[in-house]
Amino acid sequence: MSVTSTRVEGRTRLRELPSVDRLAAAIVDETSPATATSVARAVLAERRRELLAGATDEVDLIDRLRARCAPSLRRVLNATGVLIHTNLGRAPLSAAAVLALTETARGYSNLEFELDSGRRGERAQHVRELLQELTGAQDALVVNNGAAAVLLAVAAVASTERPVIVSRGQLVEIGGGFRIPEVVAQAGAPLIEIGTTNRTRLRDYTAALAKSPDAVLLRVHQSNFRTVGFVEDVGIDSLCALGAVVIDDIGSGALSREVIAFAEEPSASRSVAAGASLVCFSADKLLGGPQAGILVGESGAVAACAQHPLARALRVGRLPLAALAATLALYRDPARAAREIPVLAMLTIDQESLRERADRLAQATGGTVIESSAQVGGGALPLLELTGPVVRLEPSEGNPLALAARLRLGDPPLIPRVADGGVLLDPRTLAEDELEPAAGVVRAAMRDDRTGS
Ligand SMILES: *Cc1c(COP(=O)(O)O)cnc(C)c1O
């Protein structure tokens, strides 16, 4: 079909579109007249654009109306086994964090207000003492996310006259286009690359510092990959002993050293003790809190961050701040943190409990229990395989992708892992009260899968 004939047909069908009022009438019983009109107008405008662009498909405008009325951001059931899944919102929050968040959401708060003096306060005050206590740092600041923390740290301590020294093995991309060389460029500081991709030695740092004695040392954790074999890099203690300002981007904030699986992840307190001026980490990776970025370190360096103009643009909202304070408070008691912070509980759950959950899920869905392994995700512990029992579903006609699609379109949407030609449900990332709804979604999807409806 030529472009012109498509356009002619598009115009013909354009004339067949219903009026806003007629379309709105289809859903007016389910909502208010004003809402129905607003949604109908948007659906018609969208369809008109599609027809003018040459669309020839058949669409059900009423389905589109209903879809637009439903919230776009929804709760989903994560059966992928990936604990920190950025596309699925990273860390689910603890009950304590949810409570703090809803209480703060409902009304006003002393966000930037000192109750005893009646004077203006600062939002960092609500987590400063907790972070000092948990990391040993002199001061702390919270911003919108981990990327913001790194950007602010570099912008606040480096400058056009004060370059940033980074090992070539750490010039990494974190994901979503966050690349260390570009972050340093955004902060306006020259970048001095040292060493090689696989090996950087202390003398590479000392040589660079001899030429630029004022330079800042930036160390970046290889979060989502590892170099293995003929590799060498400089530990945080030796780096801090050089006496320069050190920014340590540890990526995932491992606060609790009590959790065994963390042994390989750098902890914030370790870097603080070594003498790093600023330590940056995410609050919604292994820390298990809301989206936020944390900066801890020496008072002078943290103050420089707080006073930088970017700090206002990158500041944390009151809801994540409330959730973060509640999450951090749980860390005072590591055993309690491991029980109540979902990411930690899922990471450390014992095989027996997993097996029991898998059996229940298999029984309710007609699947079979097999052994399989998943990853932590979120750029943390990339080599750690979380092995355990999962439920394997057998799709009709052996098409796992079709069954996975049906599960995703369930209510609530269920996101499985597709591996080894099968559809797997990993009970590790499903909460206790999600097993029943998950089984319901599977039964409906399997029924449709068999009938092909
Ligand atoms: C994840 C990560 C970041 C970015 O943190 P976000 O919270 O995702 O913005 C920065 N640096 C490292 C090393 C990371 O692992």
Side-chain angles (χ1 to χ4, degrees):
M1 196 186 287
S2 74
V3 173
T4 22
S5 67
T6 311
R7 281 189 182 268
V8 171
E9 189 182 347
R11 283 206 201 94
T12 318
R13 298 168 53 128
L14 211 52
R15 278 201 296 272
E16 291 162 8
L17 288 176
S19 69
V20 170
D21 287 345
R22 227 184 86 216
L23 187 59
I27 58 157
V28 79
D29 291 345
E30 297 159 36
T31 175
S32 71
T35 301
T37 304
S38 170
V39 175
R41 191 171 289 129
V43 165
L44 285 169
E46 176 188 59
R47 187 58 189 158
R48 223 170 272 129
R49 276 194 304 276
E50 288 172 4
L51 289 172
L52 288 172
T56 55
D57 58 337
E58 286 296 325
V59 299
D60 186 334
L61 294 178
I62 296 174
D63 277 356
R64 285 196 178 184
L65 280 185
R66 293 224 165 82
R68 242 177 213 266
C69 287
S72 167
L73 183 60
R74 324 170 47 184
R75 170 112 177 237
V76 306
L77 304 178
N78 175 10
T80 64
V82 179
L83 294 185
I84 305 161
H85 200 306
T86 300
N87 299 357
L88 302 184
R90 292 203 180 154
L93 296 180
S94 64
V98 171
L99 187 66
L101 187 149
T102 42
E103 273 304 299
T104 309
R106 238 189 272 282
Y108 298 99
S109 58
N110 61 337
L111 181 64
E112 290 185 356
F113 186 71
E114 287 181 359
L115 293 173
D116 38 9
S117 68
R119 277 201 286 270
R120 186 186 172 153
E122 29 153 10
R123 55 187 74 199
Q125 79 195 13
H126 304 293
V127 287
R128 176 176 290 121
E129 286 178 1
L130 273 163
L131 285 165
Q132 286 168 334
E133 192 180 317
L134 295 168
T135 67
Q138 291 172 358
D139 201 359
L141 184 67
V142 181
V143 289
N144 179 62
N145 58 13
V150 180
L151 175 64
L152 182 58
V154 176
V157 299
S159 66
T160 41
E161 290 84 48
R162 196 161 192 202
V164 178
I165 297 174
V166 190
S167 156
R168 289 196 173 88
Q170 296 171 10
L171 288 172
V172 301
E173 172 174 317
I174 306 300
F178 187 77
R179 295 170 151 196
I180 293 301
E182 290 163 16
V183 172
V184 174
Q186 282 298 318
L191 174 67
I192 301 176
E193 300 179 18
I194 59 164
T196 60
T197 304
N198 56 330
R199 305 191 101 187
T200 299
R201 300 188 184 82
L202 196 58
R203 65 165 185 270
D204 295 317
Y205 284 98
T206 47
L209 278 173
K211 277 196 221 146
S212 317
D214 257 0
V216 174
L217 306 184
L218 172 62
R219 181 174 177 263
V220 184
H221 181 48
Q222 289 183 343
S223 297
N224 41 13
F225 73 106
R226 291 288 180 270
T227 38
V228 293
F230 191 57
V231 295
E232 186 175 338
D233 69 2
V234 180
I236 187 67
D237 294 297
S238 319
L239 212 56
C240 291
L242 293 172
V245 167
V246 173
I247 300 174
D248 195 12
D249 173 13
I250 60 170
S252 204
L255 277 182
S256 170
R257 295 196 206 188
E258 263 77 359
V259 182
I260 306 303
F262 282 6
E264 213 198 305
E265 281 290 309
S267 83
S269 47
R270 172 98 177 67
S271 298
V272 167
S277 304
L278 287 169
V279 183
C280 313
F281 51 102
S282 286
D284 57 354
K285 292 183 182 170
L286 284 176
L287 197 148
Q291 180 190 304
I294 300 175
L295 289 143
V296 296
E298 290 167 349
S299 5
V302 174
C305 292
Q307 284 152 20
H308 192 277
L310 271 179
R312 172 66 180 78
L314 303 176
R315 79 181 178 192
V316 67
R318 80 189 203 279
L319 303 184
L321 189 62
L324 178 61
T327 307
L328 291 173
L330 293 173
Y331 273 96
R332 286 174 163 153
D333 177 350
R336 183 166 178 216
R339 267 196 321 273
E340 296 188 19
I341 296 176
V343 166
L344 301 188
M346 295 187 283
L347 191 59
T348 56
I349 188 172
D350 59 84
Q351 290 293 320
E352 204 179 312
S353 313
L354 272 181
R355 181 78 206 192
E356 190 268 325
R357 278 195 203 175
D359 285 343
R360 253 195 296 156
L361 194 56
Q363 213 150 45
T365 58
T368 45
V369 178
I370 60 163
E371 280 289 306
S372 176
S373 53
Q375 287 212 321
V376 172
L381 303 163
L383 302 186
L384 182 68
E385 299 260 293
L386 294 170
T387 304
V390 302
V391 175
R392 186 188 164 103
L393 304 174
E394 288 312 325
S396 67
E397 293 163 24
N399 185 350
L401 293 180
L403 177 57
R406 286 186 200 284
L407 296 173
R408 287 201 307 274
L409 294 175
D411 186 17
L414 174 63
I415 321 296
R417 179 158 91 232
V418 179
D420 311 325
V423 176
L424 308 180
L425 304 178
D426 195 325
R428 188 188 292 270
T429 44
L430 290 170
E432 203 54 41
D433 61 356
E434 290 177 336
L435 290 179
E436 221 6 84
V441 170
V442 173
R443 286 193 299 263
M446 297 287 273
R447 210 162 39 233
D448 292 349
D449 198 46
R450 277 194 302 275
T451 58
S453 63

